Amino acid sequence: QVRVVESGGGLVQAGGSLRLACTASGATFSNYVVGWFRQAPGKEREGVSCISRMGISRYYVDSEGRFTVSRDNAKNTVYLQMNSLKPEDTAMYYCAAFATTYSYCSASASSYTVWGQGTQVTVSS
């Protein structure tokens, strides 16, 4: 059973950057679609980005142009590079994954079967 662990969160000023990492263990990560989600206090969880098995990426909320998702299957790791951060990006960020033979990714949290514990991102104004 695959497990994923997020890292890289922290406190940053508005306009700054962070790189989150999602590292997997227990399975061949290249067979998994990986998504990034976030949840701010008092708000619903929302999809941020996802990357397919073949490296096709999608962006949600207002992350396109500011965020870049990538994967290094040799390291069993998916990255989320976040630039030009805004205070409204403040949230707990979660990595999630599901295995598939297809090359697509999903913004729907219900598609994902494995979730990490999250890493906190705080952007100060």
Side-chain angles (χ1 to χ4, degrees):
Q1 177 69 21
V2 68
R3 294 178 64 242
V4 294
V5 177
E6 304 93 338
S7 62
L11 173 64
V12 65
Q13 290 187 334
S17 298
L18 284 173
R19 188 177 78 158
L20 306 184
C22 172
T23 302
S25 61
T28 303
F29 205 34
S30 59
N31 293 332
Y32 285 75
V33 171
V34 177
W36 286 97
F37 295 81
R38 68 186 184 188
Q39 188 166 20
K43 295 187 178 181
E44 293 187 355
R45 180 174 51 191
E46 59 184 0
V48 175
S49 181
C50 64
I51 187 164
S52 72
R53 294 175 56 236
M54 304 305 292
I56 298 171
S57 57
R58 295 287 184 268
Y59 298 92
Y60 309 102
V61 294
D62 67 343
S63 60
E64 189 161 15
R66 299 190 299 126
F67 295 180
T68 303
V69 63
S70 61
R71 67 189 304 159
D72 185 339
N73 289 332
K75 295 183 178 179
N76 271 5
T77 300
V78 167
Y79 302 98
L80 183 67
Q81 177 69 44
M82 304 188 296
N83 299 327
S84 302
L85 283 162
K86 306 174 182 179
E88 50 264 43
D89 293 317
T90 295
M92 184 71 79
Y93 282 71
Y94 298 92
C95 166
F98 67 92
T100 180
T101 57
Y102 297 103
S103 183
Y104 74 100
C105 66
S106 173
S108 174
S110 62
S111 299
Y112 294 83
T113 58
V114 180
W115 289 80
Q117 294 299 308
T119 185
Q120 178 67 38
V121 171
T122 303
V123 184
S124 63
S125 58

